[in-house]
Amino acid sequence: MSCASGRPWLPVPEISLVLPSVLQPLAGGQSVLTAPADGPVTVASLLDAVAAEYAVLGRRLRDETGALRRFVNIYVDGDEVRRLQGLDTRVSPGQEILVIQSVAGG
């Protein structure tokens, strides 16, 4: 496949952020957000990009200090980031980041 200039079309590597249904309305109804990435990025920089585009969603994921909210869990390849390097956990293009929001009730 090639683009209009005749050069080969190269897909932009992306990182996918999968949202639970309760957070999807804050992202325009999308269940998956994608961010272009030329190489590894941190979870923090990925969340910064999300907050720049969807401010209310960003505030639901992190508190005013930038820390993950207690009821939000983020998984990279099935590992919870708090058990890895926290928000400094590096993710690479092609990886899927899963957001889980704890729900309390009774």
Side-chain angles (χ1 to χ4, degrees):
M1 186 179 259
S2 62
C3 60
S5 68
R7 290 179 292 183
W9 180 81
L10 298 173
V12 175
E14 294 181 331
I15 297 172
S16 298
L17 182 73
V18 181
L19 299 173
S21 59
V22 69
L23 294 178
Q24 291 172 16
L26 304 178
Q30 298 177 83
S31 60
V32 178
L33 301 177
T34 56
D38 289 333
V41 298
T42 63
V43 171
S45 64
L46 184 63
L47 294 181
D48 289 343
V50 167
E53 187 76 21
Y54 304 100
V56 176
L57 176 59
R59 289 191 300 270
R60 288 284 294 271
L61 300 177
R62 294 191 291 183
D63 65 20
E64 51 284 337
T65 69
L68 276 181
R69 294 196 180 273
R70 284 183 328 163
F71 54 84
V72 173
N73 296 309
I74 296 181
Y75 294 85
V76 175
D77 287 340
D79 293 317
E80 209 273 329
V81 297
R82 287 185 180 95
R83 299 180 193 276
L84 300 171
Q85 288 82 39
L87 293 176
D88 291 328
T89 301
R90 297 185 73 71
V91 293
S92 297
Q95 285 188 296
E96 188 175 83
I97 297 22
L98 178 63
V99 177
I100 302 290
Q101 183 173 3
S102 299
V103 178

